[in-house]
Amino acid sequence: MAKWTPKHEAPEPLEGPVVATITGGTILWFVLFLVQLPFYGWFDDHGHLWWLWTCLAGAGLGLIGIWYVRGRDAAIKRAAAAASPSAGTGTEGTSGATA
């Protein structure tokens, strides 16, 4: 049996509003935690207390995710600015005017 190899290049990954997506998900996890909090006793009686803690863990991990994707987004923007041809060429003060 021969190994399968792709016959074309893989497409570029899609970039979207990653920071907004992670922030929205984090807010959603925290809201779900707050909505379930008044029913703590019911969850405890029925053995579903892990639902509550799952939502809190999702919110906590989301905060880490927000920190990570904001740093990633800033690094991508810095790399794009450094790679642009007009950045840092030293031609800002050469407008042709002589003193």
Side-chain angles (χ1 to χ4, degrees):
M1 179 172 252
K3 181 180 174 186
W4 179 82
T5 56
K7 294 182 172 50
H8 55 82
E9 291 290 322
E12 290 292 321
L14 296 174
E15 287 291 333
V18 181
V19 175
T21 302
I22 301 299
T23 302
T26 302
I27 291 170
L28 181 63
W29 278 114
F30 190 67
V31 167
L32 286 171
F33 170 75
L34 291 177
V35 166
Q36 293 179 13
L37 197 55
F39 304 103
Y40 184 91
W42 185 90
F43 285 122
D44 194 22
D45 293 342
H46 291 87
H48 297 301
L49 200 54
W50 63 272
W51 290 5
L52 189 74
W53 303 124
T54 299
C55 293
L56 186 60
L61 290 172
L63 291 174
I64 296 170
I66 292 170
W67 171 76
Y68 178 81
V69 296
R70 287 186 68 192
R72 177 183 176 270
D73 194 41
I76 289 171
K77 287 179 182 174
R78 279 193 309 270
S84 97
S86 64
T89 58
T91 60
E92 293 84 18
T94 57
S95 63
T98 57

